[in-house]
Amino acid sequence: MTEDQDPAVDPAQDGSHDHYFTAKPASAAERRTISVRLAGRDVEVEVASGVFSPGRLDLGTQVLLRTTPSLDEVVTARAGGGSAHVLDLGCGWGPVALTMALEAPDATVWAVDVNERALDLVRRNAERLGLTNVRAVVPDDVPDDVAFAALWSNPPIRVGKDVLHAMLLHWLPRLARGASAHLVVQRNLGSDSLQRWLGEALPPHLPGAVVERAASAKGFRVLEVVAPG
């Protein structure tokens, strides 16, 4: 099998009756710690049932984190002497947001999710790692005037197309000028059709945006959206 072929579906979802995009999971939290490698460091983080990939760093997020550009360089180039803001959209227990915070300690990292248990885990994990630059919030708590120097996401494909599309059309236009978003999507869950849809639907909301496939590995595509400079 080549790296571009589909493996078995990545078993990242929690096995409970709760969907990971449920605002208030009804299942018991069943908290525990796991060891993962983030931003080149071996760390221990807290996870729980009722969130996305509660037992490990899922394969799609691994692909995303291996293929995104160095965030510290991105933030330095885009901050212009001010404080840069970056976004993890659909943060789960926080592997992307924590990586962003480790790589760019001077940036404000917004970890956004509707799942209250996930947000609590991000806050606990940021404290565990001594990270003071992470803001774990529901979508409505992000100030309207914040523009993002980078957006990384393993988006919740299983919420359905209508919800997913509305979410992307809300957040992608908030990229700062010339900034990029990186989205990882499993190929057999519609990555190629999502790329085509973004190319058609995004320009009215973000004129001049460019949508490309930045990487492909382990059955996943990493899509890059570049805002006009």
Side-chain angles (χ1 to χ4, degrees), residues 33-200:
T33 59
I34 61 172
S35 298
V36 294
R37 188 166 181 84
L38 302 176
R41 307 182 194 186
D42 294 317
V43 299
E44 285 197 347
V45 295
E46 186 175 340
V47 297
S49 57
V51 302
F52 178 72
S53 193
R56 65 191 181 95
L57 181 60
D58 67 283
L59 183 56
T61 299
Q62 291 179 46
V63 171
L64 176 68
L65 295 178
R66 286 200 301 265
T67 55
T68 48
S70 171
L71 190 62
D72 185 44
E73 295 178 4
V74 170
V75 167
T76 299
R78 301 219 51 82
S83 177
H85 296 262
V86 297
L87 173 64
D88 171 10
L89 181 59
C91 60
W93 55 259
V96 172
L98 297 172
T99 298
M100 289 177 132
L102 288 166
E103 289 190 0
D106 294 330
T108 298
V109 179
W110 294 91
V112 171
D113 209 301
V114 298
N115 185 318
E116 293 181 3
R117 185 176 296 172
L119 295 175
D120 179 61
L121 288 168
V122 174
R123 296 182 191 112
R124 288 171 177 266
N125 287 328
E127 183 177 4
R128 178 186 289 266
L129 300 183
L131 301 170
T132 60
N133 57 330
V134 178
R135 307 288 181 265
V137 298
V138 295
D140 288 345
D141 287 349
V142 181
D144 292 337
D145 61 348
V146 171
F148 300 106
L151 186 163
W152 295 356
S153 181
N154 185 347
I157 297 298
R158 290 180 172 86
V159 297
K161 283 186 179 181
D162 290 345
V163 174
L164 176 67
H165 290 175
M167 180 177 71
L168 294 177
L169 290 180
H170 174 78
W171 291 104
L172 290 173
R174 296 187 61 173
L175 288 169
R177 294 184 62 82
S180 296
H182 290 82
L183 316 171
V184 65
V185 182
Q186 198 163 346
R187 188 172 68 176
N188 63 9
L189 292 181
S191 60
D192 294 345
S193 62
L194 181 63
Q195 180 180 350
R196 290 191 295 270
W197 176 83
L198 284 169
E200 297 169 356

